[in-house]
Amino acid sequence: MTTPVGKFREKSREAMASPLLGPALKNATDKFIAGRLGTLPQLGEPESLKQEAREVKVRCIARLDQLTAQFAESYRARGGQVHFAADAQEARQILLSIARENAVKLVAKSKSMATEEIEINHFLEGQGIEVVETDLGEYIIQLAKEKPSHIITPAIHKTKEQVSSLFHEKLGTPETPDISEMTRTAKRVLRNVFLKADMGVTGANFAVAETGTLTLVTNEGNGRMVTSLPRIHVAVVGIEKIVEKLSDVPPLLKVLPASATGQKITVYFSIISGPRRPGETDGPEQSHVILLDNGRIDMLGGDYRESLYCIRCGACLNVCPVYQAVGGHSYGGTYPGPIGAVVTPLLHEEDAKYPSALPQASSLCGACRDACPVKIDLPRMLVSLRHDGVLHPAGGFSARVTGMAEGVAFRFWAWAAKSPARFHQAAKLMRWLFKLPGFKGLVRFFPPASGWAFARELPEFPERFGWEE
Amino acid sequence: MEQALFLQRIKSALSRYSTEEEARVLAAPARPKTGFATTLEAKIERFKAEVGELHKVQVVRVGNWDQARETIGRMLGERGATSIALAGDYLKPAAPFWKKWNLAADLDSVEKADVGVIQADYGLAQTGSVALVASPGKPRTASLLPPVCFFALSVFDMLESMASLMEELERRHQNGGMPATVNVVTGPSRTADIELSLTVGVHGPGEVHVLLVG
Ligand code: SF4
């Protein structure tokens, strides 16, 4: 039986064996780390910038029921339409019905983690609707039929030679070592997509309840294109993106690009409040927002709530020794790195390959927590997930069962430790259990073994302890 | 899912858990506003300094809108531009001035224009950004589709920061005038998606310049 952890390790070993990935990852994470450390202090005292950003999230998430209601009302008042999706499937169905009603043939997408999470591309294509990713990195991985390997630069695992041959193969352009040449090719192809697309699909970095506003950060301008040219705009927005008022945005926006790429601000910051107004000659005629749950509401109801403060900057990936070694694809889901290790088991992500293994993918060194611009205590949640985690029959994760498993394991050892005789009995039981096929796979998920199981092979249970008669 | 049910689920999730931190943050008074530049000139200086750090963006200051048009005309001539996408009331009134160029009137010609010439609505000194408010006379695409873009900004529209822009938009919202789109632009379109190597002009303009007027 290959356990989820086994699969994660297998994937990681493959990644580490690739001669190109290591240097690419090092280059990227080094640059991003230097960027963040260089830029944040220019904007203010880093600790107080982070604290201020965190407080915005704490306040808004604590009032998310009211703010979600208010956002829906304000967005409608702007002339937009609001939809609620409990899971990925519902979100896709909503998207499809909007597309069908409007005879949409071509969808231009700008980069968004929420739309990655619900996997719309294959779905819409299966329905005869073409979907094109327009962020350069996303476009590359769409052509290569891969998943993003970093939240900020999705194609970071690809070398320019690989991109060049990919373009050659798929677009028929001549091979070139020149990155600006490749960029021009993508620009030319995608310009046509922007002009022809009937529907633009985006996410949102922040959604403002008071004004019914969506905001988007981009550097390339594709976010502006897909919200200016197609006649329909659909934004897929995780509920945790909602903030109360416009003035909540600057503290978050201050730390986002600085922590992501080391920029003081992205090239474009779009502040969009509904469809075009009368008399305007561009901008969408129809605007929709799909508010997405997909596991978030459950996260809200317990001590993983804090993970909803995440602004998806990628800083925790860059500093993580595990991410640095194994890269994004090893995590087998949409969100890699420490934040991925926390949210993948909690989100209802259908495509995640081994979500229950991910909390093990950390050395708990704490670098992620220190880097995080909203001070999310990722190690705390990783430990807690390890304790809560048991292998669900479906390979998924069940927080409820897990509480029990934790209880049983700890109570058993607490009881056994009370007397040498008992411990002796317990050890005998364990020896017997360890010989059962499959047991070692399972025990990896039980505390106290689970914390270490990823890092090392579980030893045989000792035939006798030194002090045993 | 029905809105009522969706909201009910959020509400009950919130009621199942809470933290001391939340209680503390919710009870805390709003943070005081922090500003850095008191005078107009200080804001203009900061703006110029910030723009200076962006990728090859020139910033030129002229005394009034006539001079602005002239300077823009000269810059257009230097690069041999024949067609332009023109947007903004302060630039437009002098219609005869623009005779020399084909003025883009529809999406197709905006797409083919050599240069977008746009009156910016606000400047953000702290980041060297300009903010563009979409309106009937000011299409979103004029500053997006052409490969080069000139922004003209009245110095009296210079704000301190993103926070001041948000205050301004909040005011517009209270007065029922929240624009459908505001784009804040800081330098030329760029990407670093291949090997993290910086490349400008991927989808939006690869070259932008700013004229400060006043
Ligand atoms: S957890 Fe923190 S550091 Fe990681 S992506 Fe989210 S906001 Fe950034």
Side-chain angles (χ1 to χ4, degrees):
Chain A
M1 177 178 98
T2 318
T3 61
V5 171
K7 286 188 210 146
F8 172 74
R9 297 171 68 181
E10 205 176 285
K11 259 301 213 187
S12 306
R13 254 184 247 119
E14 272 169 36
M16 286 190 276
S18 147
L20 297 175
L21 185 67
L25 279 173
K26 181 156 176 37
N27 176 32
T29 52
D30 281 359
K31 272 194 191 165
F32 282 144
I33 292 171
R36 175 171 55 85
L37 295 176
T39 305
L40 263 184
Q42 293 180 44
L43 304 176
E45 203 277 298
E47 217 20 60
S48 66
L49 292 174
K50 290 180 182 182
Q51 184 59 30
E52 191 177 352
R54 180 179 174 89
E55 283 174 15
V56 170
K57 290 306 272 191
V58 170
R59 172 167 47 80
C60 296
I61 296 287
R63 298 186 47 220
L64 199 55
D65 52 343
Q66 297 157 45
L67 298 185
T68 307
Q70 191 185 12
F71 175 81
E73 193 184 318
S74 321
Y75 194 76
R76 289 192 188 108
R78 297 271 168 237
Q81 297 175 48
V82 184
H83 313 263
F84 296 88
D87 55 23
Q89 200 204 336
E90 192 177 8
R92 287 192 298 261
Q93 286 301 336
I94 294 166
L95 207 57
L96 178 64
S97 60
I98 300 170
R100 284 267 160 81
E101 272 162 36
N102 294 285
V104 167
K105 292 190 197 67
L106 175 61
V107 173
K109 259 191 74 199
S110 89
K111 181 163 156 273
S112 127
M113 297 309 289
T115 53
E116 282 291 335
E117 183 186 320
I118 62 167
E119 257 293 351
I120 63 171
N121 298 13
H122 295 142
F123 171 74
L124 288 179
E125 268 156 24
Q127 306 288 329
I129 298 165
E130 195 187 343
V131 185
V132 182
E133 294 284 353
T134 62
D135 170 84
L136 178 58
E138 290 277 345
Y139 180 61
I140 292 168
I141 60 165
Q142 188 186 26
L143 285 182
K145 299 196 167 48
E146 289 172 11
K147 274 254 179 193
S149 67
H150 191 285
I151 297 181
I152 301 299
T153 43
I156 198 61
H157 57 289
K158 288 241 175 290
T159 62
K160 63 176 192 235
E161 289 76 17
Q162 290 172 327
V163 176
S164 165
S165 36
L166 184 67
F167 281 10
H168 175 65
E169 182 195 325
K170 304 277 175 171
L171 307 171
T173 49
E175 297 260 9
T176 169
D178 182 0
I179 291 176
S180 14
E181 178 71 36
M182 293 178 227
T183 307
R184 275 197 296 278
T185 301
K187 174 176 180 166
R188 181 169 44 77
V189 174
L190 293 172
R191 182 57 72 96
N192 270 321
V193 172
F194 293 130
L195 292 168
K196 276 206 287 199
D198 318 276
M199 185 194 248
V201 174
T202 69
N205 294 90
F206 314 110
V208 184
E210 207 170 82
T211 54
T213 300
L214 299 173
T215 64
L216 273 178
V217 300
T218 63
N219 276 319
E220 299 181 358
N222 57 323
R224 288 188 63 190
M225 291 282 183
V226 303
T227 56
S228 298
L229 290 166
R231 59 194 157 88
I232 301 159
H233 173 214
V234 184
V236 180
V237 181
I239 49 168
E240 81 280 14
K241 302 288 177 195
I242 299 174
V243 297
E244 184 183 352
K245 41 191 198 267
L246 287 169
S247 60
D248 287 332
V249 172
L252 296 170
L253 186 61
K254 235 184 196 171
V255 294
L256 174 57
S259 307
T261 55
Q263 289 168 283
K264 283 184 192 161
I265 186 170
T266 49
V267 176
Y268 301 113
F269 181 61
S270 304
I271 306 163
I272 302 166
S273 313
R276 69 166 79 166
R277 303 281 187 264
E280 292 179 4
T281 53
D282 54 17
E285 290 158 23
Q286 237 185 71
S287 302
H288 298 259
V289 62
I290 301 174
L291 293 173
L292 181 66
D293 167 8
N294 208 31
R296 290 166 172 81
I297 297 180
D298 286 342
M299 287 151 84
L300 193 62
D303 64 359
Y304 299 114
R305 177 178 294 178
E306 199 187 0
S307 59
L308 296 171
Y309 300 165
C310 174
I311 56 173
R312 307 276 186 254
C313 73
C316 57
L317 280 59
N318 301 327
V319 297
C320 176
V322 176
Y323 178 88
Q324 284 172 0
V326 304
H329 286 156
S330 303
Y331 292 80
T334 299
Y335 303 96
I339 185 64
V342 171
V343 300
T344 311
L346 298 168
L347 288 172
H348 304 160
E349 201 188 317
E350 301 146 321
D351 273 10
K353 294 202 184 75
Y354 28 75
S356 60
L358 297 181
Q360 314 295 335
S362 166
S363 64
L364 300 179
C365 69
C368 51
R369 180 187 45 216
D370 298 341
C372 178
V374 281
K375 308 210 291 185
I376 299 177
D377 194 347
L378 291 157
R380 173 186 69 79
M381 288 189 287
L382 286 167
V383 170
S384 169
L385 279 164
R386 287 176 185 189
H387 286 210
D388 286 358
V390 326
L391 191 58
H392 194 261
F397 204 84
S398 160
R400 235 161 285 126
V401 193
T402 58
M404 273 163 53
E406 176 188 12
V408 170
F410 274 120
R411 245 172 284 136
F412 173 73
W413 287 109
W415 169 83
K418 288 215 168 96
S419 86
R422 270 192 206 168
F423 198 92
H424 186 67
Q425 288 302 314
K428 247 165 95 181
L429 174 65
M430 291 308 287
R431 268 175 215 124
W432 176 75
L433 282 171
F434 260 59
K435 293 200 173 97
L436 291 181
F439 181 75
K440 276 171 73 181
L442 190 62
V443 86
R444 287 206 169 88
F445 291 90
F446 280 86
S450 54
W452 289 99
F454 170 63
R456 53 196 70 187
E457 280 295 340
L458 206 62
E460 290 302 322
F461 202 83
E463 274 310 321
R464 64 186 301 122
F465 287 108
W467 45 265
E468 276 182 285
E469 297 294 312
Chain B
M1 186 180 268
E2 286 297 310
Q3 170 167 346
L5 184 56
F6 195 92
L7 294 176
Q8 184 48 48
R9 291 194 53 226
I10 299 179
K11 196 170 176 170
S12 74
L14 282 173
S15 69
R16 282 201 296 274
Y17 179 81
S18 63
T19 64
E20 279 173 24
E21 183 186 23
E22 286 172 350
R24 199 170 59 239
V25 169
L26 288 171
R31 281 178 179 255
K33 280 183 218 143
T34 47
F36 65 89
T38 42
T39 69
L40 180 61
E41 283 309 313
K43 284 189 276 186
I44 295 170
E45 282 317 303
R46 175 71 184 266
F47 182 87
K48 285 174 152 171
E50 293 295 330
V51 169
E53 286 183 20
L54 302 173
H55 188 89
K56 295 183 182 160
V57 183
Q58 283 174 40
V59 52
V60 184
R61 187 168 178 185
V62 296
N64 56 47
W65 283 94
D66 283 334
Q67 288 172 16
R69 278 185 290 267
E70 250 155 60
T71 311
I72 291 168
R74 189 162 38 72
M75 287 162 70
L76 290 171
E78 278 164 13
R79 61 181 57 243
T82 57
S83 57
I84 60 174
L86 187 68
D89 292 345
Y90 287 1
L91 290 164
K92 269 187 174 162
F97 179 85
W98 302 108
K99 270 205 318 269
K100 276 190 254 172
W101 295 275
N102 294 322
L103 295 188
D106 56 14
L107 184 64
D108 205 37
S109 45
V110 170
E111 215 269 315
K112 294 192 174 71
D114 297 320
V115 181
V117 180
I118 289 99
Q119 181 199 332
D121 296 80
Y122 306 101
L124 310 185
Q126 200 176 47
T127 46
S129 318
V130 293
L132 315 170
V133 177
S135 68
K138 235 193 275 172
R140 297 155 177 80
T141 41
S143 57
L144 184 62
L145 295 175
V148 179
C149 205
F150 298 163
F151 297 111
L153 171 71
S154 163
V155 292
F156 302 106
D157 293 324
M158 184 70 76
L159 308 173
E160 273 186 29
S161 62
M162 185 62 75
S164 349
L165 176 65
M166 291 302 173
E167 278 168 34
E168 178 67 20
L169 291 178
E170 224 147 59
R171 243 191 315 277
R172 288 177 82 143
H173 167 69
Q174 315 281 284
N175 301 332
M178 182 71 181
T181 298
V182 180
N183 274 299
V184 180
V185 180
T186 313
S189 153
R190 59 176 252 176
T191 183
D193 274 352
I194 305 177
E195 292 194 356
L196 242 58
S197 133
L198 179 70
T199 312
V200 295
V202 52
H203 295 308
E207 189 184 337
V208 306
H209 301 295
V210 185
L211 261 89
L212 292 173
V213 187

